[in-house]
Amino acid sequence: MKLYQARYNATIDGKELFVGNRKLMSEKGIQTNEAETNLAQFEKEGKTAMLISVDNELRGVVAVADTVKDTAQQAIQKLHELGIEVAMLTGDNKRTAQAIAKQSWYRHDYCRGFTRRKSF
């Protein structure tokens, strides 16, 4: 069984387009070294970075982000006061997860899940 992985592809005007993460690009034999600085910066900002390739050539990086609710920090603090441990489940990579945790006062590291499996 193959684990779920975010990847999108299309053929436009005869050109093969892929949007996905480092693993997808590696599977396609596409080098991502030139994008690492941008990827790392987006991830440190709590954004999910995705690579874009056209005809097996890296063409760009795009990032998306969920926003932390204004009430998250207060809710987590209250749970801690009640002696309840809080964990974050995410499909994001460690850098992105750490940035989100920092914004919302999570005390512990994260548990990496896959987006199809993180809903209860």
Side-chain angles (χ1 to χ4, degrees), residues 41-53:
Q41 183 60 41
F42 285 138
E43 292 164 356
K44 285 169 66 176
E45 293 170 0
K47 297 174 182 169
T48 300
M50 296 171 283
L51 298 149
I52 302 167
S53 72

Side-chain angles (χ1 to χ4, degrees), residues 4-24:
Y4 175 76
Q5 176 179 335
R7 56 174 70 196
Y8 305 94
N9 66 293
T11 301
I12 302 171
D13 294 332
K15 297 182 184 279
E16 187 176 43
L17 174 89
F18 279 93
V19 178
N21 61 17
R22 289 174 184 90
K23 184 176 179 181
L24 170 64

